[in-house]
Amino acid sequence: MSRLIGACACTVLSVLILLIAVPTAFKVGTDDVIDTPARTLHGGQAVVFDENLVPFSGATAFLHISSDSDLFVGTANGVDVDDYVADTSYHLITDVEFPGDFTQRLVSGSSTLGADPGDLDWWTSKQTGKSVTVRFSPTERPQYIVVASPSGAKAIDVDVRMGLQTSGVFGYCMIGFGLALVLLAIAALLFTWWRSNRLPPARPLGARRGTRRGTAASRTLAGAIAGTAVLAASGCTAPVQPRTVEPVVPTKIAIPHSKAPAFIKRYSTQLEKSYRHDLHGLSNIQADPQLTRTRALAVTSDAADGRLRAPAYSSVTVAAPRLTKYPLWFIARAKDGGPDYLLVERDRSTSPWRVVQTVHAGKKLPAMIGRSDGSTPQASSKEVAELTTSAKAVAHFLQTGSKPDDGTRVSAKGLTDYRSYVGRLRSKKSGFKSVKPACKVDDADMTSRAIKTKDSVTALAEIRCTLSVSVPSSFSLDLGSSIEALLGGQGQESESGNNTIEVTSSHPIVLSRADDGTTEVVGTDWYLIGADSK
């Protein structure tokens, strides 16, 4: 009876092995490749494929693209790609099966990409040609593959094929196939022994015991071979394991810590070059409110026969959150005599990085916090709201001189100096009829770019003040060379009525709100950025 059971077991195991090995061998072929049929995609400015769609792990996947015209093929973070193709017509591959086919849909949009793909700096890899193959392995943070014309302005017609390179699977299947045949032979042998011994003749007792020993040995042999066969059959699928494809929202850290010093140094060099060439190219490295302030500083510096100097930054550290979409941003702290804080942004994937705000802090604020992946946690919406309230309290202090009662500290030099300036203009010796400041938080909502620091949250901000200064009729209005330069170099005199000038000033600050509810405000300077006669 045991021989019959062994024969049945070997037969079942061999069939199971064949059911696995034979179809798998046909799928992968002798080249160990499972691929989809080639499909032609017409029209659209690009083809986009998310590597996360590959439903297997433990194998190298590939995407092969060919066309009659030259193609650009690049790999990049999904955050960059999503923004790059957001307004464009493109083919989006939505699913892929191996063996099988892939599905895709044409996303409607404009007939040109925002920039030539080759001019962008965020590709992790890129190549060009009429026939290109991109190989990759699915990872925790998969990339996107983009196919486009080199100019980005031409629709493409491409043949697309996907596949998996399954190293050694065909060989394992052949081993499994051979062992399945061995198992079938053993099953036949055991079955024959069982048939021939159904009515055994009488034998001496010793011979019977020898038969039992032989039967036990045959069972042991069959079990060992069966176990080996199962392991061999499992090798047909061990290198390549199916996995569940779950949606992954792409994320990106604005800048790695290792690249921050080089970036800030390059910015300083470009700024110095712009100073020497009448601010040429300044808008490529700065954005408002910093851009407006720099242009005003250039005007007032020329009036005083001075020259602007770019800071020589050193000891750069950055706080860069992990973001899911543009704009990307980070805060940098660097030394130029004292600690400076910079807010740097990139509003679109096709635009350059620009410095939005620079603050001469005068003192070092709490240390920036970093996660194991190099990112910095963002402040919560509640914390951002509290920082915004503190920024409004600073604006109220600059306008009225009344110190806030909400824990916002306004003793920073840049704030008290402005209040002293307003006080001097209001003194009787000045002769001015009216001096009225009006201040508010700048429309650029920088407090939303807030990060967590040690026992606090920190953000940069900008307060803008408009100071209306007027004198009685027939008085000459003299507010200094800087304001005269901002007015265009014309002195202000009045023959009748009121003579009024509105002076606009910029007040860059850093807000650091502690866990105890107090907000430290730092900033050593304020700047005249505009003047207009009324």
Side-chain angles (χ1 to χ4, degrees):
M1 189 64 182
S2 60
R3 291 172 181 174
L4 178 61
I5 294 174
C8 293
C10 287
T11 302
V12 171
L13 286 173
S14 64
V15 171
L16 289 176
I17 292 172
L18 290 173
L19 288 175
I20 296 174
V22 174
T24 303
F26 275 105
K27 291 175 184 177
V28 301
T30 57
D31 57 357
D32 280 333
V33 172
I34 306 174
D35 58 2
T36 67
R39 293 180 56 187
T40 301
L41 303 182
H42 298 285
Q45 304 306 117
V47 177
V48 177
F49 173 64
D50 180 0
E51 294 176 355
N52 182 58
L53 293 177
V54 175
F56 290 92
S57 61
T60 299
F62 66 85
L63 180 69
H64 179 76
I65 312 101
S66 59
S67 175
D68 294 334
S69 304
D70 282 338
L71 297 170
F72 172 93
V73 182
T75 303
N77 186 288
V79 174
D80 298 313
V81 174
D82 284 343
D83 184 81
Y84 182 49
V85 301
D87 304 321
T88 308
S89 173
Y90 66 97
H91 291 275
L92 176 65
I93 296 175
T94 57
D95 191 23
V96 59
E97 292 184 3
F98 295 112
D101 205 347
F102 65 88
T103 58
Q104 61 85 34
R105 62 185 176 90
L106 181 63
V107 180
S108 60
S110 66
S111 58
T112 182
L113 292 165
D116 292 359
D119 294 339
L120 303 173
D121 61 0
W122 37 256
W123 299 108
T124 56
S125 67
K126 58 183 178 181
Q127 50 188 314
T128 57
K130 294 182 179 180
S131 180
V132 177
T133 300
V134 180
R135 300 184 184 277
F136 60 93
S137 297
T139 62
E140 291 182 1
R141 299 195 184 280
Q143 301 283 289
Y144 282 23
I145 299 173
V146 178
V147 183
S149 68
S151 67
K154 180 182 177 182
I156 58 174
D157 292 331
V158 296
D159 293 328
V160 178
R161 180 171 63 90
M162 299 182 200
L164 283 176
Q165 184 71 48
T166 58
S167 177
V169 170
F170 185 80
Y172 279 114
C173 289
M174 291 299 99
I175 294 173
F177 180 74
L179 288 177
L181 295 180
V182 172
L183 281 173
L184 286 174
I186 293 173
L189 178 61
L190 291 174
F191 184 76
T192 302
W193 286 354
W194 173 76
R195 289 274 298 177
S196 64
N197 288 283
R198 290 186 65 185
L199 298 172
R203 293 185 179 88
L205 181 61
R208 190 179 298 115
R209 287 198 298 268
T211 303
R212 291 190 184 119
R213 286 197 297 269
T215 303
S218 66
R219 288 200 301 266
T220 302
L221 175 62
I225 295 177
T228 305
V230 171
L231 291 175
S234 66
C236 295
T237 56
V240 183
Q241 296 295 330
R243 67 182 186 92
T244 302
V245 176
E246 297 180 353
V248 175
V249 178
T251 61
K252 183 175 183 177
I253 301 174
I255 187 172
H257 284 256
S258 60
K259 295 184 178 181
F263 175 87
I264 296 299
K265 182 179 180 180
R266 185 167 61 252
Y267 164 72
S268 182
T269 301
Q270 292 173 326
L271 183 59
E272 182 66 29
K273 183 178 179 180
S274 180
Y275 285 161
R276 293 180 180 181
H277 295 85
D278 297 326
L279 304 187
H280 177 73
L282 185 64
S283 60
N284 291 327
I285 59 174
Q286 289 185 352
D288 281 333
Q290 183 68 39
L291 179 61
T292 297
R293 186 159 64 243
T294 301
R295 286 172 173 168
L297 283 171
V299 172
T300 56
S301 179
D302 288 343
D305 296 324
R307 189 180 78 84
L308 294 177
R309 178 192 67 85
Y313 289 124
S314 62
S315 303
V316 179
T317 58
V318 297
R322 183 174 289 280
L323 302 170
T324 59
K325 62 180 180 179
Y326 277 79
L328 302 180
W329 57 271
F330 65 91
I331 294 175
R333 186 182 66 209
K335 287 184 178 179
D336 180 43
D340 284 9
Y341 287 80
L342 298 87
L343 176 61
V344 188
E345 285 191 8
R346 189 175 202 170
D347 56 351
R348 292 296 305 270
S349 60
T350 54
S351 63
W353 284 101
R354 294 184 177 97
V355 174
V356 175
Q357 180 72 301
T358 302
V359 182
H360 303 299
K363 63 181 295 186
K364 192 174 181 179
L365 294 172
M368 299 174 178
I369 298 174
R371 293 192 180 106
S372 59
D373 64 356
S375 66
T376 299
Q378 286 183 262
S380 66
S381 57
K382 178 183 177 181
E383 291 167 330
V384 168
E386 291 171 345
L387 285 170
T388 303
T389 299
S390 294
K392 291 178 180 179
V394 174
H396 183 73
F397 168 73
L398 290 174
Q399 178 172 317
T400 65
S402 300
K403 291 187 177 182
D405 57 5
D406 63 350
T408 302
R409 300 169 182 171
V410 290
S411 58
K413 184 176 182 297
L415 307 180
T416 56
D417 280 0
Y418 180 75
R419 287 305 310 170
S420 297
Y421 175 72
V422 173
R424 288 194 299 273
L425 294 181
R426 283 177 169 173
S427 68
K428 292 182 180 180
K429 293 181 180 180
S430 68
F432 296 130
K433 180 180 179 181
S434 175
V435 177
K436 296 179 179 180
C439 303
K440 65 176 184 177
V441 180
D442 187 65
D443 291 338
D445 185 19
M446 284 181 285
T447 53
S448 64
R449 315 286 194 252
I451 58 168
K452 288 187 179 293
T453 46
K454 186 177 180 181
D455 301 323
S456 62
V457 289
T458 299
L460 281 68
E462 169 89 355
I463 310 298
R464 288 286 175 89
C465 291
T466 300
L467 186 65
S468 297
V469 182
S470 60
V471 297
S473 58
S474 302
F475 271 67
S476 173
L477 187 63
D478 183 7
L479 291 174
S481 61
S482 294
I483 292 178
E484 184 176 345
L486 293 171
L487 283 166
Q490 299 179 354
Q492 296 298 310
E493 294 186 357
S494 175
E495 297 180 356
S496 63
N498 287 342
N499 194 6
T500 302
I501 289 181
E502 289 187 348
V503 180
T504 305
S505 56
S506 166
H507 304 263
I509 57 174
V510 181
L511 301 155
S512 181
R513 186 172 180 84
D515 292 342
D516 62 6
T518 60
T519 302
E520 181 80 10
V521 182
V522 298
T524 61
D525 302 295
W526 63 279
Y527 306 86
L528 295 171
I529 60 171
D532 188 23
S533 60
K534 299 291 183 179

